[in-house]
Amino acid sequence: MKILGIETTCDETACAVVEDGYKILSNVLSTQIEQHQPYGGVYPELASRLHVDRLIPLIELALKEANLEKKDIDAIAVSYAPGLIGAITIGLSAAKALSQALGIPFIGVNHVEAHLYAAMMNNQTIQLPGLGLVLSGGHTFMVKVTRLGEYEMISQTVDDSVGEAFDKVARMLDLPYPGGPEIEKLALKGNPEAFPLKAGTVKKNPLAFSLSGLKTNVLYTIQRLQKTSFTENQKNDLAASFQKVVFEDIAKKTSLALSHFEANSILLGGGVTQNLALQTFFNETFGSDYELYFPPKGLSVDNAAMIAGLGYHKLKQQKISDPLDLKAHPRISLA
Ligand code: KG4
Ligand code: ZN
């Protein structure tokens, strides 16, 4: 089964062809980072317009790189939620039209479920139940993964997502958007013990995440340091201290969640999981007791291979969508 995947929920226009859920025949992407950079974050209307310009050529490129023609595609999978409503609508409309024109199944995929599925794309024999963690720019949550398509929500963030906190702290440090990779680079040169920062706790819910207080704390620290001189070394130290405290907080809450049920594995997905310091820290902390799965290289951030891959399993489970009915949703929960 060769599935064409389409992804336009945010600022990446992405298309891919994946065979039988795992074999990536092509995976192409056109990022809008440069166009959004002047705004310090994603400008929704601009994102939609750029998707309109780029999507059709990208679909053609994905087919060409897979050495396929439209008639060789067995089904089309597309992200229908969550994300920017205008941006999603571009990909969704194209997928609907193409599936109707070709007379092939149309499958709506939840973008955050696909982020978790990305962690499964390296391995077809993952032991479940597992603990799933999505750490992206739009989302931060933990779920119990009973099997593919069956989730129980454990906790979420009550304010900023992890990626958002990285992006905002990066902005405070005058680093370009997206801030995650920039903070990771600076952190390599800094002392993570230099600043005593703390991540937030949520009253009556020790599993929930809260990062807005930490973000404010970083801002006050910068303002204090700027009163004298804010050196490059201090900037590196602050990036390292911030990153460390965030990852320790995630690991602490992961441990607590794992004490509530018998998990065999930990699955991590979303843009932040491409951070190598996070991968190393999780491997050191949990690697001897659990099987740990991160997305293959390039599949942590938004991409269409995870959409096409998950689409295959939905198709096998007969979870086919109605192109005349499925609407874009800005917010939708996994469980
Ligand atoms: O999953 P993603 O591509 O898009 C959403 O669905 O949100 O995640 C993007 C987020 C951004 O906030 C970005 O700063 C963050 O992932 N990110 C990172 C790293 N690479 C991307 N955060 C920390 N370290 C990284 N290396
Ligand atoms: Zn995403």
Side-chain angles (χ1 to χ4, degrees):
M1 279 281 179
K2 296 184 188 72
I3 314 254
L4 173 71
I6 295 177
E7 157 62 42
T8 63
T9 57
C10 191
D11 59 345
E12 316 280 3
T13 320
C15 297
V17 181
V18 175
E19 190 170 356
D20 297 339
Y22 298 94
K23 192 173 173 202
I24 299 172
L25 303 182
S26 66
N27 184 29
V28 293
L29 182 143
S30 170
T31 183
Q32 307 176 358
I33 286 176
E34 210 182 293
Q35 285 75 19
H36 294 290
Q37 229 150 27
Y39 307 96
V42 179
Y43 181 1
E45 178 58 24
L46 180 62
S48 308
R49 286 171 189 227
L50 292 170
H51 287 313
V52 171
D53 292 343
R54 297 175 180 188
L55 184 56
I56 304 292
L58 263 187
I59 293 175
E60 282 165 356
L61 183 63
L63 290 170
K64 190 168 165 231
E65 289 202 357
N67 271 322
L68 297 170
E69 291 177 32
K70 285 193 212 75
K71 65 173 174 44
D72 303 319
I73 296 297
D74 297 296
I76 298 187
V78 60
S79 312
Y80 74 97
L84 303 171
I85 192 109
I88 298 173
T89 302
I90 310 303
L92 192 58
S93 308
K96 286 177 175 181
L98 206 50
S99 72
Q100 291 286 81
L102 296 171
I104 55 177
F106 162 79
I107 306 145
V109 167
N110 179 325
H111 174 88
V112 291
E113 182 179 6
H115 268 309
L116 266 188
Y117 178 70
M120 304 184 192
M121 286 188 82
N122 264 336
N123 197 307
Q124 302 189 26
T125 56
I126 292 178
Q127 296 296 313
L128 297 172
L131 178 72
L133 263 153
V134 171
L135 310 171
S136 76
H139 300 87
T140 291
F141 62 82
M142 290 196 277
V143 283
K144 177 177 173 183
V145 185
T146 315
R147 57 191 180 87
L148 193 66
E150 215 175 285
Y151 311 96
E152 274 172 51
M153 186 57 70
I154 297 172
S155 70
Q156 312 188 41
T157 176
V158 295
D159 40 57
D160 288 356
S161 72
V162 177
E164 205 178 342
F166 268 80
D167 292 339
K168 288 180 179 165
V169 165
R171 211 170 155 179
M172 294 173 199
L173 292 170
D174 281 331
L175 301 168
Y177 171 85
E182 304 293 327
I183 301 241
E184 180 177 12
K185 263 186 257 162
L186 255 56
L188 286 172
K189 299 181 277 183
N191 170 13
E193 310 298 335
F195 295 97
L197 300 169
K198 260 175 82 179
T201 48
V202 180
K203 244 189 199 162
K204 295 192 186 143
N205 190 355
L207 290 165
F209 300 94
S210 169
L211 295 168
S212 67
L214 169 64
K215 206 179 55 189
T216 312
N217 209 330
V218 172
L219 180 66
Y220 289 160
T221 307
I222 294 172
Q223 286 171 348
R224 180 170 54 78
L225 293 169
Q226 277 170 341
K227 282 189 184 143
T228 49
S229 70
F230 188 26
T231 65
E232 287 303 309
N233 280 346
Q234 285 172 326
K235 212 167 160 177
N236 297 340
D237 288 350
L238 196 51
S241 303
F242 165 78
Q243 179 174 280
K244 176 169 174 273
V245 81
V246 172
F247 292 166
E248 280 181 353
D249 181 61
I250 298 168
K252 192 178 88 191
K253 287 164 184 170
T254 299
S255 278
L256 193 57
L258 288 165
S259 69
H260 290 297
F261 71 101
E262 288 288 318
N264 294 306
S265 50
I266 306 175
L267 309 155
L268 296 103
V272 181
T273 66
Q274 76 175 348
N275 185 302
L276 293 179
L278 172 80
Q279 296 198 11
T280 308
F281 182 51
F282 258 67
N283 274 315
E284 284 166 5
T285 313
F286 300 105
S288 50
D289 297 322
Y290 298 92
E291 285 178 31
L292 262 150
Y293 297 98
F294 285 93
K297 204 168 170 11
L299 300 196
S300 283
V301 290
D302 288 351
N303 66 86
M306 65 184 190
I307 307 298
L310 180 57
Y312 166 76
H313 296 278
K314 300 282 170 201
L315 186 62
K316 270 203 347 196
Q317 295 166 357
Q318 304 284 324
K319 289 185 179 157
I320 296 167
S321 316
D322 178 352
L324 298 179
D325 191 40
L326 189 71
K327 291 188 186 68
H329 287 273
R331 264 182 266 279
I332 197 166
S333 177
L334 192 53

